[in-house]
Amino acid sequence: MQRYWSRPIGSTGPWTLVGNNCNPSQAPEGAPAPPPVPTVGQINAAFAALPFAKPTVAIQPVGNVTLVNLPTYYEATWPGSGLKPGDISKKVQLLSWSIEFRIDPATYRYDFGDGEFSKVTKDLGGPYPDGKIRHTYTKAAASVPVKVDAAMTGAFRVNGGPWQDLDTVAELENEPVTTLQVRTAKARLYNNG
């Protein structure tokens, strides 16, 4: 099928769809060739090159200190700069087309810093007591590097048209590390008399 698009000569505005045709011999006389259309690969590459934000990990108990054998809660949080879930990108010019991207989270995987990882999940995590991303440390450590590996997906639209799901995932890299201390606690009885 061929699609026929038009815009005034000399214009840099968007193209307007004027018709579809399954038979090239029936194209309107003098109809200009349609502009080249970005490939799926070009659209996916443009998505992967977007300036994504990188999530950090908020930890409870607060203060980035926890205890051995105490459940610790994790939550992915997004900084103010860069594209994050729910955002729509600025327009990206691909060939003669204007493409926008809507950002959606694909997956999260938490690295607890002690050699243990969460399952791959769509859950952001959350604070005590309802957060579902939890881990219990079994050994004390002065410095445990905790981070969340995130992957983004989303949708795109061409020239303000309808949203279409992307068939790709952008794996974020070099997410910030939060350093956690894991301490032991000792119970003591005191004589107040």
Side-chain angles (χ1 to χ4, degrees), residues 111-133:
D111 179 346
F112 300 121
D114 62 351
E116 298 289 328
F117 298 85
S118 73
K119 293 180 180 177
V120 174
T121 180
K122 293 186 179 230
D123 195 324
L124 271 172
Y128 171 84
D130 298 322
K132 294 181 181 164
I133 308 300

Side-chain angles (χ1 to χ4, degrees), residues 102-180:
R102 185 187 69 222
I103 312 304
D104 297 326
T107 59
Y108 301 99
R109 185 173 186 235
Y110 292 79
D111 179 346
F112 300 121
D114 62 351
E116 298 289 328
F117 298 85
S118 73
K119 293 180 180 177
V120 174
T121 180
K122 293 186 179 230
D123 195 324
L124 271 172
Y128 171 84
D130 298 322
K132 294 181 181 164
I133 308 300
R134 305 173 194 157
H135 180 64
T136 301
Y137 296 91
T138 58
K139 295 179 183 175
S143 179
V144 178
V146 177
K147 70 175 186 165
V148 59
D149 294 318
M152 299 290 105
T153 189
F156 71 97
R157 65 180 172 190
V158 179
N159 292 341
W163 289 105
Q164 302 173 60
D165 289 336
L166 282 165
D167 189 26
T168 191
V169 171
E171 297 280 347
L172 305 187
E173 297 178 353
N174 303 316
E175 288 93 340
V177 171
T178 301
T179 302
L180 176 68

Side-chain angles (χ1 to χ4, degrees), residues 9-97:
I9 294 174
S11 170
T12 59
W15 289 86
T16 303
L17 179 65
V18 293
N20 297 316
N21 190 338
C22 291
N23 185 347
S25 66
Q26 295 178 355
E29 189 172 319
V37 177
T39 66
V40 170
Q42 289 170 318
I43 292 170
N44 290 343
F47 177 74
L50 292 173
F52 293 106
K54 295 185 179 178
T56 58
V57 181
I59 300 173
Q60 276 194 336
V62 296
N64 295 343
V65 176
T66 192
L67 297 175
V68 169
N69 298 324
L70 176 73
T72 303
Y73 290 74
Y74 308 87
E75 181 177 11
T77 60
W78 294 90
S81 62
L83 293 168
K84 55 192 170 296
D87 286 351
I88 294 177
S89 73
K90 292 181 180 176
K91 293 178 180 176
V92 175
Q93 200 68 27
L94 282 179
L95 303 175
S96 60
W97 304 91

